[in-house]
């Protein structure tokens, strides 16, 4: 313990302040944020009263202070486990951690505060110099144009780096936003030797950054950096798993694979010696999820340095690359998974420590964060993890594959031990069989309850259609639904409880046996422990789904019938508000956070995104700016809103919409996107118009009938195509030139009001005195609407017609918010010339 006298570490004023604050709080724990100069605490402020375990608020405030300090009322200044964990996490971003006694006389410095190296700020002139007229950009960027908005944006990002700011930056289509943030990012890396992470939502943008924009930014600035795309573990082949598969085969798992899948396993095995990165994309075909499951690295079951393949491990190689890179490209999923892991107490996340973050396509970050900061338990997750332990054949008492089988094989020459293990295994597999039966029946019952009991729409039973339902006591029939769920959910939980009990007994036995067996079962023991923890996590969700009354969580179920007629059922627990978590896990962890996108502002500015992400940070520099698109929409784009079409809820709307879509497709000889909010409506329209369109030589490309990339490739090729798409076609789709001349939005993209997360969040806003429609539904719809519109004009010479079939933009008061969000352009009647 490095206790120090308060005379050297605390100035008089701070010591007095701390003593008084603790005394006023009855001698209980208080967490302080402190400011240090030289070797002395010059000033301190109270972060929270109460236990240090209130980690979120500590982490959230940490960047504001040089160190965090709290008192141990007992006078024993040794750190608890919790202290050590928080200290490690604070150290991650340069803050110190101290423990003090109630009299402010002794301090234990658990992690010292390290004064950061002097920052070399970025110069606005230098940034502009790389992008203006007569710069090297004219030779490096084909078709370079001097764009003032791009220069302004790059300079403002430089300012955000200099001032440790959170910066919301909307950049209209065509601004050249990636180059605008990469130039200051590269200069910052060169000046300050700090790593930067760029997070994106789509693979398209990641590929564009890696293949084009980063090399261009390096050529422009002459700064060579090391950059890497980082993927989650599940993307890499685990050599340990592959080796095990080779040695053991796939046992009864083969029963669940079709001949094509068994062929895929052999093909991957043949490729293995030649793989360089072990990344899924290196496999020359797309393996089925069941096949990839045999090979992929697991998030938690990894032997790390103890693994016999450690030095060859693909994931570890990728991780080493990441740790030695200046610029990391990740996706929002990985960014949120890393943040969630650090929140849960992991001292090391998936990504190396970093204090400067650029979130591109930031309008999507709340949705991704919502899924990572929540938890779920599905029927298939249970089966998958239990199969890792032991996959049982229909009749045999012995497991045909899995860890238990390996245990048994290791006891070949030790009959007494073998007999004991056989007994454990027989008990476990017996319980597993019981579980499969009862849980299988229970899940079927839950599926039927979801489908029939609440939502009687027969379409819900169609393969692939997902049904979501919220568990809400207050809803009409909510109590009844909960009661109906009670027994089947408890049956799943009880079956799992029995299996976990059995698993714990096996682990206890192995622990004793390990000592005598000199690590004979080391690997199996480790894997079983990890699986036990996973199953305990699932058990927690199953227990909470019917019993929790926590208002901060949304409890909901989702179900769908898979194409092979199996039923997928999932229990979900989602935070009603992620803003506090985002604030502490992302904003609080980084000195600079740039959030950029072509659509961050709704009709009333940045208020919506700021509220959703908790960007109300009185102690931080928070900037916001919008840079307009350089495209001439007035000249190149027109809007048509039919006056005679019924409102979307009125009879005849779908038929009318089909008529306009048909007319547009004929008028533009295909070259049209129609964007829907409902897949059922999309199919209805397709059925109405595609036979007639075929006669005109125009083909309907329908989302879901092929994968997105192939549909887009076909659309871009020569030919007459009308593309009908829902959700994923509203954004991230880039068809330049006249191949896309018309975009039709069929309905304003309001979210489905019965969606559990949406519904619960709306109620939450109302309870807090807000207006769910104005504060949530409307701005979210406006942002999505802007995204949809943004598909049309992708280059400065692009021309196009935007057709809006939802006349609520005119008939309803709120409609003006959608129109206001669009750039100024001419409204046309029947003349669709562009
Ligand atoms: S280190 Fe982990 S991921 Fe790599 S091969 Fe070993 S177990 Fe698999």
């Amino acid at each position: 313990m490095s206790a120090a006298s308060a005379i050297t570490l605390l100035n008089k004023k701070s010591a007095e302040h701390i003593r008084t604050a603790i005394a006023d709080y009855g001698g209980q724990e208080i967490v302080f944020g402190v400011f240090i100069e030289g070797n002395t605490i010059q000033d301190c402020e109270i972060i929270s009263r109460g236990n240090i375990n209130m980690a979120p608020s500590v982490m959230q405030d940490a960047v504001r202070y040089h160190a965090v300090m709290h008192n141990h009322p007992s006078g024993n200044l040794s750190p608890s486990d919790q202290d050590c964990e928080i200290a490690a996490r604070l150290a991650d971003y340069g803050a110190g951690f101290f423990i003090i006694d109630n009299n402010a006389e002794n301090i234990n410095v658990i992690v010292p505060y390290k004064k950061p190296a002097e920052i070399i700020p970025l110069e606005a002139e230098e940034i502009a110099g790389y992008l203006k007229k007569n710069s090297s950009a004219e030779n490096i960027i084909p078709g370079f144009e001097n764009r003032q908005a791009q220069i302004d944006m790059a300079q403002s990002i430089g300012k955000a780096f200099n001032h440790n700011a959170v910066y919301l930056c909307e950049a209209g289509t065509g601004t050249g936003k990636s180059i605008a943030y990469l130039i200051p990012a590269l200069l910052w890396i060169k000046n300050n030797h700090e790593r930067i992470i760029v997070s994106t939502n789509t693979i398209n943008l990641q590929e564009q950054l890696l293949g084009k924009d980063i090399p261009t930014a390096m050529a422009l600035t002459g700064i060579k950096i090391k950059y890497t795309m980082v993927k989650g573990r599940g993307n890499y082949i685990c050599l340990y798993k592959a080796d095990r598969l080779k040695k053991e085969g796939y046992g009864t798992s083969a029963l669940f694979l079709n001949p094509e899948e068994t062929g895929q396993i052999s093909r991957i095995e043949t490729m293995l010696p030649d793989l360089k990165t072990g990344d899924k994309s290196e496999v020359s075909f797309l393996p089925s999820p069941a096949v990839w499951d045999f090979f992929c690295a697991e998030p938690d079951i990894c032997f790390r340095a103890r693994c016999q393949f450690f030095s060859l491990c693909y994931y570890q190689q990728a991780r080493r690359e990441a740790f030695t890179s200046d610029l990391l490209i990740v996706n929002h999923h990985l960014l949120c998974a890393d943040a969630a892991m650090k929140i849960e107490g992991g001292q090391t996340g998936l990504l190396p420590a970093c204090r400067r973050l650029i979130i591109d396509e930031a309008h999507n970050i709340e949705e991704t964060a919502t899924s990572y900061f929540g938890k779920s338990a599905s029927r298939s997750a249970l089966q998958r993890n239990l199969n890792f332990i032991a996959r049982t054949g229909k009749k045999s008492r012995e497991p045909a594959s899995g860890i238990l089988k390996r245990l048994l094989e290791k006891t070949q020459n030790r009959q007494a031990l073998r007999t004991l293990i056989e007994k454990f295994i027989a008990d476990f597999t017996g319980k597993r069989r019981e579980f499969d039966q009862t849980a299988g029946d229970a899940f079927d019952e839950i599926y039927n309850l979801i489908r029939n009991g609440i939502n009687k729409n027969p379409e819900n039973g169609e393969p692939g259609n997902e049904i979501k339902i919220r568990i809400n006591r207050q809803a009409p029939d909510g109590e009844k639904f909960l009661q109906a769920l009670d027994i089947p959910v408890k049956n799943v939980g009880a079956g799992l409880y029995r299996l976990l009990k059995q698993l714990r007994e096996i682990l206890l036995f192995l622990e004793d046996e390990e000592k005598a067996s000199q690590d004979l079962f080391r690997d199996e023991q480790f894997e079983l422990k990890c699986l036990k923890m996973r199953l305990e996590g699932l058990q927690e969700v199953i227990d909470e789904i019917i019993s929790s009354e926590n208002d901060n969580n949304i409890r909901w179920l989702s179900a769908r019938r898979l194409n092979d007629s199996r039923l997928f059922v999932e229990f979900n627990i989602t935070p009603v508000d992620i803003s506090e978590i985002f604030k502490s896990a992302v904003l609080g962890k980084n000195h600079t956070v740039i959030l950029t996108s072509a659509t961050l502002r709704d009709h009333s500015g940045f208020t919506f995104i700021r509220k959703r992400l908790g960007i109300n940070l009185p102690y931080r520099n928070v900037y916001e700016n919008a840079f307009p698109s350089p495209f001439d929409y007035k000249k190149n784009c027109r809007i048509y809103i039919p006056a005679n079409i019924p409102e979307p809820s009125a009879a005849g709307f779908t038929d009318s919409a089909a008529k306009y879509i048909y007319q547009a497709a004929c008028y533009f000889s295909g070259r049209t996107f129609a964007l829907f909010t409902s897949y059922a409506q999309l199919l209805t329209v397709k059925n109405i118009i595609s036979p007639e369109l075929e006669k005109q030589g125009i083909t309907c490309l329908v989302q879901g009938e092929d994968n997105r990339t192939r549909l887009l490739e076909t659309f871009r090729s020569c030919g007459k195509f009308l593309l009908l798409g829902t959700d994923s076609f509203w954004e991230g789709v880039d068809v330049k030139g006249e191949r896309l001349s018309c975009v039709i939005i069929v309905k304003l993209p309001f979210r489905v009001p019965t969606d559990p997360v949406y519904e619960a969040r709306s109620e939450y806003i109302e309870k807090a005195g807000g207006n769910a429609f104005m504060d949530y539904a409307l701005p979210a719809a406006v942002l999505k609407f802007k995204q949809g519109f943004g598909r049309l004009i992708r280059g400065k010479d692009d021309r196009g017609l935007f057709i809006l079939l939802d006349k609520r933009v005119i008939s309803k008061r709120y409609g003006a918010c959608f129109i206001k969000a669009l750039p100024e352009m001419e409204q046309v009647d029947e003349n669709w010339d562009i």
Side-chain angles (χ1 to χ4, degrees):
M1 167 171 147
S2 59
S5 151
I7 296 163
T8 52
L9 270 169
L10 264 170
N11 70 12
K12 239 174 146 183
K13 186 185 108 201
S14 303
E16 192 49 45
H17 175 52
I18 290 166
R19 263 195 297 274
T20 314
I22 295 172
D24 287 350
Y25 196 51
Q28 296 179 67
E29 278 185 62
I30 294 186
V31 182
F32 298 92
V34 302
F35 297 99
I36 296 169
E37 240 178 74
N39 197 30
T40 306
I41 293 174
Q42 291 292 350
D43 204 357
C44 61
E45 291 173 1
I46 295 172
I47 294 180
S48 67
R49 290 181 176 83
N51 200 284
I52 188 74
N53 297 354
M54 295 169 75
S57 70
V58 172
M59 294 303 154
Q60 176 188 313
D61 287 328
V63 284
R64 189 183 169 199
Y65 302 105
H66 297 148
V68 169
M69 177 168 74
H70 83 124
N71 58 314
H72 276 190
S74 66
N76 176 356
L77 304 193
S78 305
S80 64
D81 288 349
Q82 185 73 24
D83 288 331
C84 293
E85 197 178 290
I86 291 174
R89 290 162 70 189
L90 286 166
D92 213 23
Y93 46 110
F97 184 71
F98 313 154
I99 301 171
I100 194 166
D101 61 357
N102 280 14
N103 291 328
E105 284 170 352
N106 289 295
I107 295 178
N108 186 5
V109 178
I110 308 300
V111 173
Y113 163 64
K114 271 200 217 122
K115 199 174 175 209
E118 205 63 35
I119 287 297
I120 302 176
L122 303 182
E123 299 293 336
E125 267 314 297
E126 185 183 2
I127 294 172
Y130 297 113
L131 294 167
K132 65 185 182 192
K133 232 178 173 173
N134 303 324
S135 67
S136 58
E138 291 188 349
N139 302 322
I140 292 168
I141 303 177
F144 171 78
E145 283 168 44
N146 177 33
R147 282 174 274 188
Q148 192 53 44
Q150 187 182 42
I151 295 173
D152 292 344
M153 178 176 166
Q155 288 181 319
S156 66
I157 285 175
K159 182 177 151 199
F161 276 117
N162 289 345
H163 295 184
N164 289 341
V166 173
Y167 181 34
L168 293 142
C169 174
E170 183 180 273
T173 315
T175 312
K177 72 170 158 27
S178 351
I179 292 290
Y181 61 68
L182 285 170
I183 300 271
L186 262 57
L187 289 166
W188 188 266
I189 292 167
K190 183 186 125 217
N191 285 4
N192 296 301
H193 310 286
E194 281 195 335
R195 180 182 292 122
I196 292 177
I197 291 179
V198 177
S199 179
T200 78
N201 191 52
T202 57
I203 293 177
N204 285 357
L205 181 54
Q206 291 189 337
E207 284 172 353
Q208 181 194 313
L209 287 169
L210 289 169
K212 194 171 124 220
D213 294 340
I214 298 173
T216 303
M218 291 204 300
L220 287 173
T221 55
I223 299 169
K224 297 259 175 303
I225 55 151
K226 183 170 173 190
Y227 59 98
T228 310
M229 174 146 136
V230 191
K231 296 183 180 177
R233 261 175 203 268
N235 285 284
Y236 295 94
I237 286 177
C238 167
L239 290 169
Y240 171 78
K241 270 172 91 174
D243 179 65
R244 228 174 46 201
L245 181 69
K246 195 167 157 206
K247 286 182 185 145
E248 297 167 9
Y250 28 88
T252 42
S253 306
L255 296 173
F256 302 90
L257 299 172
N258 59 41
E260 195 195 328
E261 287 175 323
T262 45
Q264 287 186 354
I265 289 186
S266 313
R267 282 170 73 192
I268 296 180
E269 284 183 326
T270 319
M271 282 177 203
L272 269 175
D274 300 319
L275 295 182
K276 291 200 169 44
T277 62
D279 181 344
K280 193 177 185 180
S281 62
E282 212 187 345
V283 175
S284 61
F285 60 93
L286 188 66
S288 80
V291 167
W292 188 244
D293 217 25
F294 280 101
F295 293 96
C296 65
E298 298 289 329
D300 46 358
I301 309 177
C302 170
F303 297 93
R304 297 189 173 83
R306 287 196 293 115
C307 177
Q308 54 182 309
F309 300 101
F310 188 70
S311 60
L312 300 172
C313 170
Y314 296 121
Y315 173 69
Q316 298 297 344
Q317 274 175 27
R319 204 170 143 77
R320 280 191 283 274
E321 280 296 295
F323 274 73
T324 54
S325 291
D326 306 300
L327 183 71
L328 304 181
I329 309 297
V330 306
N331 63 23
H332 294 348
H333 289 270
L334 187 57
L335 183 77
C336 293
D338 175 70
M341 196 176 239
K342 284 171 181 160
I343 286 181
E344 274 167 23
Q347 291 180 15
T348 53
L350 301 162
L351 298 171
C354 176
R355 293 184 200 120
R356 314 273 165 190
L357 172 64
I358 298 169
I359 304 178
D360 200 341
E361 303 178 315
H363 60 281
N364 287 306
I365 194 77
E366 187 197 359
E367 201 174 321
T368 312
T370 294
S371 61
Y372 277 90
F373 297 139
K375 45 192 180 179
S376 63
S378 69
R379 180 182 198 165
S380 53
L382 283 166
Q383 297 292 357
R384 179 178 189 263
N385 289 306
L386 290 171
N387 285 345
F388 277 140
I389 298 172
R391 187 160 219 169
T392 48
K394 287 249 173 330
K395 290 184 189 117
S396 160
R397 285 184 70 78
E398 270 193 21
S401 63
I403 302 167
L404 297 188
K405 183 168 189 238
R406 278 160 39 212
L407 273 182
L408 204 58
E409 282 163 0
K410 284 194 172 175
T411 58
Q412 289 297 7
N413 307 319
R414 299 169 64 183
Q415 194 46 50
L417 182 60
R418 188 178 173 84
T419 309
L420 277 171
I421 288 188
E422 270 174 349
K423 161 94 179 63
F424 277 120
I425 291 177
D427 287 348
F428 186 88
T429 48
K431 296 266 177 319
R432 169 76 204 268
R433 239 176 240 121
E434 273 171 41
F435 176 81
D436 285 350
Q437 186 60 52
T438 46
D441 293 346
F443 275 120
D444 288 352
E445 200 179 331
I446 295 166
Y447 176 85
N448 286 328
L449 273 173
I450 298 169
R451 189 183 155 216
N452 303 328
I454 301 296
N455 196 333
K456 297 185 174 67
N457 181 357
E459 200 184 83
N460 284 334
E462 290 299 307
N465 277 358
E466 189 176 22
I467 325 165
K468 295 177 184 176
I469 185 155
R470 185 170 157 213
I471 298 180
N472 179 16
R473 230 179 255 285
Q474 270 76 48
D477 282 346
E479 190 66 49
K480 216 166 116 197
F481 181 59
L482 204 55
Q483 277 169 15
L485 274 180
D486 193 63
I487 291 182
V489 172
K490 279 185 178 154
N491 279 346
V492 177
L496 183 59
Y497 177 81
R498 285 192 287 273
L499 279 168
L500 271 165
K501 192 164 169 259
Q502 209 63 46
L503 190 55
R504 286 188 197 108
E505 279 176 26
I506 297 176
L507 275 164
L508 271 177
F509 168 74
L510 287 179
E511 242 161 60
D512 284 347
E513 196 51 39
E514 266 304 86
K515 291 170 202 142
S517 309
Q518 293 168 343
D519 281 356
L520 178 65
F521 304 123
R522 192 193 64 170
D523 292 355
E524 290 73 21
Q525 193 189 4
F526 172 74
E527 287 178 66
L528 285 176
K529 259 190 199 163
C530 295
L531 287 162
K532 178 182 78 83
M533 282 166 67
R534 275 192 198 176
L535 290 168
E536 283 168 345
L538 296 174
Q539 171 100 61
E540 205 179 287
V541 178
I542 295 166
D543 290 346
E544 269 182 52
I545 201 81
I546 46 167
S547 62
S548 169
E549 295 293 334
N550 183 349
D551 280 351
N552 294 326
N553 285 330
I554 307 159
R555 294 176 293 148
W556 55 285
L557 308 176
S558 65
R560 66 179 180 273
R561 184 176 288 282
L562 304 175
N563 286 335
D564 55 8
S565 91
R566 275 176 303 147
L567 301 178
F568 173 88
V569 175
E570 186 172 54
F571 306 149
N572 300 282
I573 296 176
T574 304
V576 70
D577 179 8
I578 60 125
S579 64
E580 284 304 314
I581 310 174
F582 190 79
K583 204 152 72 166
S584 93
V586 178
L587 302 177
K589 292 282 269 179
N590 288 281
H591 291 321
T592 304
V593 182
I594 314 282
L595 296 117
T596 186
S597 162
T599 52
L600 278 187
R601 287 177 314 154
D602 59 290
H603 55 288
S604 58
F606 290 97
T607 318
F608 174 67
I609 190 102
R610 285 179 76 138
K611 272 196 193 156
R612 301 310 306 161
L613 299 179
I615 309 179
N616 54 338
L617 309 162
Y619 53 83
R620 299 274 306 259
N621 291 317
V622 180
Y623 306 143
E624 55 183 42
N625 243 323
F627 299 97
S629 164
F631 300 154
D632 190 346
Y633 287 93
K634 259 190 191 166
K635 190 167 137 227
N636 293 346
C637 192
R638 285 172 174 71
I639 179 169
Y640 172 64
I641 307 167
N644 300 325
I645 194 163
E647 289 212 355
S649 55
F653 172 75
T654 305
D655 286 339
S656 278
K659 185 187 89 188
Y660 284 108
I661 295 168
Y662 172 80
Q663 281 175 1
C666 292
Y667 190 88
F668 291 101
S669 302
R671 301 189 296 154
T672 298
F673 268 13
L675 301 176
F676 292 79
T677 50
S678 143
Y679 194 65
Q681 188 170 52
L682 179 155
L683 289 180
T684 309
V685 168
K686 180 222 156 184
N687 291 336
I688 297 172
I689 62 176
S690 71
E692 282 306 310
L693 283 176
E694 285 299 334
K695 289 182 196 159
Q696 313 291 326
I698 299 168
T699 306
C700 277
L701 302 174
V702 178
Q703 179 173 355
E705 291 186 355
D706 202 345
N707 78 36
R708 188 172 179 265
T709 314
R710 269 200 299 267
L711 283 175
L712 283 169
E713 268 167 22
T714 311
F715 187 87
R716 286 191 188 102
S717 65
C718 296
K720 297 177 181 179
F721 299 107
L722 161 70
L723 193 145
L724 307 176
T726 56
D727 237 23
S728 68
F729 282 90
W730 283 72
E731 59 181 280
V733 176
D734 193 14
V735 181
K736 277 205 176 83
E738 61 177 21
R739 293 299 312 151
L740 177 60
S741 297
C742 176
V743 166
I744 303 170
I745 284 186
V746 177
K747 259 175 81 175
L748 295 176
F750 285 108
R751 291 188 193 156
V752 184
T754 52
D755 176 87
V757 174
Y758 175 78
E759 184 187 79
R761 287 186 171 163
S762 299
E763 283 174 18
Y764 180 76
I765 289 168
E766 295 275 343
K767 257 193 209 164
N771 178 319
F773 181 75
M774 294 307 287
D775 299 344
Y776 187 41
L778 181 61
V782 169
L783 285 184
K784 182 139 189 174
F785 177 75
K786 276 172 78 176
Q787 278 290 341
F789 167 77
R791 299 315 97 215
L792 184 56
I793 305 291
R794 307 300 299 170
K796 86 174 167 41
D797 298 321
D798 275 14
R799 303 178 66 83
L801 176 71
F802 175 54
I803 300 182
L804 181 52
L805 297 180
D806 190 333
K807 74 171 190 191
R808 287 178 294 174
V809 285
I810 299 163
S811 63
K812 302 284 181 202
R813 266 183 46 203
Y814 62 75
C817 302
F818 290 89
I819 299 295
K820 192 179 156 196
L822 296 177
E824 233 182 281
M825 61 190 143
E826 186 192 345
Q827 185 166 350
V828 293
D829 291 329
E830 301 305 323
N831 179 3
W832 288 0
D833 276 355
I834 53 172

